[in-house]
Amino acid sequence: MSVTHTDTGTEADTEAATEADTGTVAWNSEALGEIVSNDAGRPVLFTNARVLTMDPLIGTLRGADVLLVGALLVGVGPGIITAAGDDNAIVVDCTGMTVVPAVVDSVALVGGRGQRADYAGSLTPGNTGDLLVVPDEFAPDVQGAVATLLTRPEEVRALVAAGKPVLWSGTDAPRRATAPEAGIPAAQDLTGSPRVGVWIDQNDFLHQELTPDGRYDETRGGRPHAYEGRYWIDGDRIDYLDDLGFWAFGEFRGEELHHAGYAMRLGGGGRSACGGRSPGRSAR
């Protein structure tokens, strides 16, 4: 078990001196190092915090713990620290800190969710481990904590996304994820991809041809070229940019492509369902 204290003692003084040139104070630096190098799947426990869960059943907790295992939040509430040693957890001391969801459900903030299960981004066990740690004085409520992140990021002690630190002690965390480059990406070369071809829904209404040069062409109800444009595949996700200017998406689930309410399967071998062209030729 690893606990790093930040309020008293020589370690805190040393960290403050080390970070004096940046105007911030390092916070739980030892724990951060263990989290970044955590290849053994050790749990991470944020302890002794005020926790604004945004869960209407759990509510606000004081002197509480938030337990992450990998990308998941698996426990929240007082007393989890008692098992930290047994589980070889990495412990982050959050004395004087408030923990709030990093993914804010603005509908829930104004009371617009009808069911507890509908709440998005709450610190509820089973949800993704997205959380924000801010000193109590900068977090009167969830809105205030988020405002601190956006306007005074140097005051943020931790921003965690899916269990991985993004910001720590007001600066970028090591090995943090970086946002993709802005702008429309270059076309993918999908020659040989098993996902290239003509996808047909079960009612034979929608035929969607994906070509190796990153173009798609849809026939709908026998109407050729109903929609045409570019597409990109990232894992099991497909993004479409239609020539009309709108964006859409789909998901590959096993042998099916789900898009806009349709479930399609790859079929037709070498035939084309899009205006008589053979798969592999551009729609334009």
Side-chain angles (χ1 to χ4, degrees):
M1 181 173 70
S2 171
V3 182
T4 303
H5 297 284
T6 61
D7 51 353
T8 62
T10 303
E11 183 177 350
D13 295 338
T14 301
E15 290 176 343
T18 301
E19 300 295 326
D21 58 330
T22 66
T24 63
V25 177
W27 180 78
N28 278 294
S29 57
E30 182 181 338
L32 172 62
E34 292 183 332
I35 295 171
V36 170
S37 61
N38 183 20
D39 296 326
R42 295 170 61 192
V44 178
L45 183 70
F46 294 82
T47 187
N48 199 32
R50 171 174 166 255
V51 182
L52 309 183
T53 68
M54 287 305 300
D55 183 313
L57 176 63
I58 301 173
T60 295
L61 305 169
R62 288 176 170 78
D65 309 326
V66 178
L67 179 64
L68 306 181
V69 176
L72 286 182
L73 190 159
V74 299
V76 61
I80 301 177
I81 186 68
T82 59
D86 296 337
D87 299 334
N88 193 29
I90 301 168
V91 178
V92 183
D93 182 8
C94 293
T95 301
M97 302 293 157
T98 293
V99 179
V100 304
V103 177
V104 177
D105 186 346
S106 58
V107 176
L109 286 175
V110 298
R113 296 291 184 196
Q115 301 289 332
R116 174 176 175 251
D118 295 335
Y119 277 59
S122 61
L123 296 181
T124 301
N127 283 358
T128 301
D130 298 325
L131 57 86
L132 177 63
V133 183
V134 179
D136 290 343
E137 61 267 31
F138 297 112
D141 47 29
V142 173
Q143 299 95 312
V146 173
T148 297
L149 171 64
L150 297 177
T151 63
R152 305 181 67 176
E154 69 278 3
E155 301 293 350
V156 170
R157 293 299 181 263
L159 173 63
V160 176
K164 297 183 180 297
V166 177
L167 296 178
W168 199 274
S169 194
T171 60
D172 288 348
R175 304 184 194 175
R176 59 161 285 175
T178 56
E181 293 184 8
I184 298 173
Q188 295 173 310
D189 181 2
L190 295 168
T191 302
S193 170
R195 288 169 171 171
V196 166
V198 181
W199 294 81
I200 305 171
D201 82 299
Q202 60 185 353
N203 295 319
D204 201 32
F205 175 83
L206 176 64
H207 294 200
Q208 184 182 94
E209 181 182 13
L210 304 180
T211 62
D213 57 355
R215 296 281 304 178
Y216 72 90
D217 189 350
E218 288 188 4
T219 292
R220 287 176 173 247
R223 178 166 55 97
H225 316 310
Y227 292 106
E228 301 175 85
R230 286 175 278 179
Y231 74 92
W232 296 266
I233 294 177
D234 183 6
D236 288 331
R237 179 186 174 98
I238 179 170
D239 285 280
Y240 306 92
L241 174 57
D242 197 82
D243 290 344
L244 295 175
F246 67 83
W247 290 85
F249 88 106
E251 294 177 296
F252 294 98
R253 303 176 190 170
E255 296 182 351
E256 292 186 336
L257 169 56
H258 291 251
H259 165 66
Y262 296 93
M264 299 173 282
R265 285 181 172 265
L266 191 62
R271 71 179 178 86
S272 172
C274 299
R277 293 177 293 104
S278 60
R281 292 183 59 192
S282 172
R284 290 287 175 87

